[in-house]
Amino acid sequence: MKRKREAKQDRSGSSGSKLDPIPVDAKLPGKFVIKPHQKKKRQRRDLLCNQTGTSSSSSKLDSLPDELKLDILNRLPAKSLANFRCVSKMWSSIIRSPEFVRSFFSLSSRRPRLMVALGNGIYNRSTEERLIFFFSFSPEDEEESSSLVPNFDMAISSVTFTSDSSCTSVHGFLAVKAGGLLSICNPCTEQFIEFPSCTTHVGYDPIGDQYKALFKRMVYEFRNGILSHLPELKVLTLGEGGGWRLIKPPTTMPNFKTLSVGVSIDGFVYYGAYSPARPTNPGIVCFDVRSEKLSYIKAPPAVVRYGDDSIFIEYKGKLASIVPADPYGRFERFDMWVLEDVHKHEWSHHMCVIPLSMWDFVGGFRLSFPGANKAGELIMAPTMLSRHVQPFYIFYYNVKTRNIRRVRLLGIGDNQEFRRSYGFVEQSECHVRISPQHIESIAFFKNPTT
């Protein structure tokens, strides 16, 4: 779908924070509204496979030189590649090969996408009616666009978002926490894997090219007549030769209480914690995905001041913590702490100021800080969709200039037909979760939890 472009914003204003006006009559093209009937989608895909599999065109394609075939495949959209795996055994072998998966991911990394997940907020009905929808937004001209048009990617049934849910990007997959459980999905291949309870975080090892999930729970046992509780740690490796295995907690690291969603950065997963109990020794737990070792990083008390509501993001390849002046209401300033040196536990501090006028477009909801875009602008967005039909905006904040701009996500909140088609009713609480700089991947692996 081609994006409908709006007039470019005037970005030559003063260095102070301000919001430029956006046309209020911008509407989403009617052809966007797509009812997510997964069954019909599979039927159309099966029909395509049957038709192409029996035609002579596949044999002609198979006769092309390997380099030309790879070049053609790399130019195709990820969704098309997922469907073309059934054209022939040879094409399936090429598309599934680790070499091609890495090549396609490398090309996709040049054009990361903005992912938006919406939970329809249905809790008191059958589980089949509970849904999470995933939409992607092309970031082309993201720094200058005042609006973006979504593409529907996939839906997950039997679960929806609540206030403590999350959705983060992990090397082509989305780590989704909803209903108290952690899962991963690939919007391009529509693969979905749900992990057992007590699985806390997912990370990726770029050297070993492996995805791993961390499992943590407390076990109780009597020792010398004394009841003690110890952490049980396990790691699940996804893919070939994967499975669960126990790991030993470091003897130099005391027990810790997990507080926040994990952030996966360059082979490490970081998350806020107290050790051994709140509010003692606040800091960051670092999980080395490759070595499967845990370490503890000291942090300023402000970084985990709000406990479970602490915010951690990736900012220019580093771990950062966002500390609003008031995480539960309106604020006009927030602090950003950046972990500059992992080994020396050194942090830098930045004070950020935003205009109170921004809240006029938020609708009274709390703000989330899902991360930063490729240009290094911090992204802010309402955590919920308004129950009334009205525009939905996300905000981009430049830390250096303190300029702020807003971008309208067309059709997400301002289209009544969209709401009816996807089951967003006025009585429900539609939670919004955003994952910036998501890179499309065609990776697919057998579910190791079954």
Side-chain angles (χ1 to χ4, degrees), residues 389-400:
V389 178
Q390 63 185 45
F392 184 87
Y393 296 100
I394 60 176
F395 306 88
Y396 292 80
Y397 179 81
N398 190 307
V399 177
K400 292 184 178 180

Side-chain angles (χ1 to χ4, degrees), residues 165-338:
S165 299
S166 62
C167 179
T168 58
S169 181
V170 182
H171 198 78
F173 283 77
L174 293 174
V176 181
K177 181 184 177 184
L181 295 176
L182 182 68
S183 59
I184 63 169
C185 66
N186 186 337
C188 295
T189 63
E190 299 185 21
Q191 183 179 23
F192 171 75
I193 296 177
E194 190 174 76
F195 297 113
S197 177
C198 298
T199 307
T200 58
H201 302 97
V202 180
Y204 173 76
D205 168 24
I207 299 177
D209 190 24
Q210 290 181 319
Y211 297 83
K212 296 182 181 180
L214 180 64
F215 174 98
K216 179 180 181 292
R217 70 176 178 181
M218 301 305 298
V219 293
Y220 298 87
E221 60 180 35
F222 280 97
R223 287 187 177 182
N224 300 324
I226 301 176
L227 179 65
S228 59
H229 57 281
L230 300 171
E232 179 187 27
L233 297 174
K234 293 192 295 183
V235 169
L236 170 66
T237 301
L238 288 77
E240 293 294 332
W244 289 101
R245 112 183 117 267
L246 285 169
I247 62 173
K248 293 182 179 180
T251 56
T252 58
M253 180 178 170
N255 188 22
F256 53 88
K257 164 68 176 178
T258 301
L259 293 177
S260 71
V261 176
V263 180
S264 181
I265 306 175
D266 195 25
F268 297 88
V269 177
Y270 303 90
Y271 54 93
Y274 284 112
S275 175
R278 184 182 297 184
T280 307
N281 193 23
I284 305 296
V285 172
C286 175
F287 173 57
D288 187 329
V289 181
R290 180 168 178 79
S291 67
E292 301 178 359
K293 294 181 179 180
L294 295 168
S295 58
Y296 206 73
I297 301 173
K298 294 180 181 180
V303 167
V304 289
R305 177 189 302 169
Y306 297 111
D308 296 352
D309 292 316
S310 299
I311 302 170
F312 296 97
I313 64 171
E314 178 181 357
Y315 178 71
K316 296 184 177 182
K318 300 178 181 179
L319 178 69
S321 172
I322 304 296
V323 186
D326 180 4
Y328 312 109
R330 296 192 173 197
F331 54 85
E332 57 182 339
R333 60 170 293 271
F334 63 90
D335 297 318
M336 182 174 70
W337 295 83
V338 181

